[in-house]
Amino acid sequence: MAHARRSPERLSAFSDGVFAVLITVLVLELRPPETPTFAGLLALWPTWLSYAVSYVFIAIVWANHHHLLRYAAEATPRLMWFNFAHLFSVSLLPLSTAWMAVSELAPQPVAFYAAVFFLVNATYVALIWELIERAPHQDVSLRERRIMRVRSIVTLCIFAAAAAVALKFPLIGLGLCCCCLLVYLKPEAPGAKDGSPGDDRAQLCDDLSAADCEEARATGCVRSLLTPAQYKSCLDAQPVRR
């Protein structure tokens, strides 16, 4: 008996709930100053800085996660476990944020904070491999795949370097983490077209041979870029031509 298709909508909804809870937990860690003065408020700048960076980080992670899940045709077991790993890594952020704030940006807490960023990005790479690399060519061009792959690997290396640098220079390590966030402000790869996956085939031939281009325009799939199973799934997913 064939198994019913597992819709990714529940996976996306569950993930959204987790992100919402994490932001709530993050703000619950904030404490007012002991003195009713602006000077007392400014004295808590490490706490506010830690909260601001973490809030922006969670927002960027959610935006990129939401972008990737647009390419999910089915909630496969591998996708679900990769997604759980990604959510687990993000769930460490309130702990690392609180430790960094209480320590007033001490070296080891900042290094741990950068290590959490590294773990989040590593699990994001796994999601890219599962969703983007396996997506049909008409959904994601070869150029966009390359840019997303390079961007994720380069930032992964920078996060690792930030964790090491923070042990000696915590502010520089935190600055490196913040710089990496800038390249993820737009989830789409630079130069990628906006819109839903598969809604435009105008740029299919940018990276293809003439034969592959003709096949892509005719079927929406390129046999030479996919495994036999992926090629069959791609053909099955195409709308019926009338």
Side-chain angles (χ1 to χ4, degrees):
M1 176 183 296
H3 294 286
R5 174 180 170 273
R6 288 164 291 201
S7 170
E9 281 75 19
R10 291 189 62 190
L11 184 69
S12 179
F14 173 80
S15 301
D16 289 346
V18 172
F19 281 113
V21 169
L22 290 177
I23 286 183
T24 303
V25 172
L26 198 65
V27 74
L28 290 177
E29 294 294 330
L30 294 178
R31 296 291 182 270
E34 296 181 357
T35 57
T37 62
F38 287 119
L41 189 64
L42 291 176
L44 296 177
W45 70 267
T47 299
W48 295 109
L49 177 62
S50 302
Y51 170 75
V53 173
S54 296
Y55 186 93
V56 172
F57 183 52
I58 291 179
I60 290 174
V61 171
W62 177 84
N64 283 269
H65 180 271
H66 178 71
H67 172 71
L68 282 185
L69 285 187
R70 296 189 312 158
Y71 299 97
E74 182 180 4
T76 63
R78 181 162 48 190
L79 173 60
M80 287 189 288
W81 284 112
F82 282 162
N83 190 66
F84 274 123
H86 190 56
L87 295 179
F88 168 77
S89 61
V90 180
S91 72
L92 297 175
L93 201 59
L95 169 64
S96 59
T97 301
W99 190 25
M100 185 172 68
V102 169
S103 71
E104 297 186 350
L105 307 182
Q108 293 185 17
V110 175
F112 178 70
Y113 188 72
V116 170
F117 276 41
F118 174 86
L119 184 59
V120 171
N121 207 50
T123 53
Y124 178 75
V125 171
L127 286 176
I128 289 179
W129 178 77
E130 176 64 19
L131 293 172
I132 299 299
E133 297 295 341
R134 296 173 179 271
H137 185 267
Q138 78 272 13
D139 288 355
V140 190
S141 68
L142 293 179
R143 178 177 179 273
E144 186 175 356
R145 293 170 198 257
R146 282 198 299 267
I147 293 176
M148 294 186 71
R149 190 185 307 119
V150 170
R151 179 178 65 174
S152 60
I153 293 175
V154 169
T155 53
L156 193 65
C157 294
I158 295 177
F159 283 137
V165 170
L167 292 173
K168 187 70 174 179
F169 307 102
L171 288 180
I172 295 179
L174 183 59
L176 288 174
C177 291
C178 294
C179 289
C180 283
L181 297 183
L182 296 178
V183 303
Y184 284 108
L185 287 176
K186 182 181 179 182
E188 297 85 359
K193 296 190 66 176
D194 295 328
S196 301
D199 61 359
D200 192 348
R201 298 185 181 183
Q203 296 182 329
L204 271 178
C205 297
D206 288 350
D207 304 292
L208 297 178
S209 66
D212 286 344
C213 174
E214 183 178 353
E215 180 185 17
R217 291 191 182 280
T219 67
C221 306
V222 182
R223 186 189 300 271
S224 63
L225 300 178
L226 303 171
T227 65
Q230 291 172 344
Y231 183 71
K232 182 178 183 302
S233 298
C234 178
L235 291 177
D236 292 341
Q238 300 305 309
V240 177
R241 296 179 178 270
R242 299 184 182 277

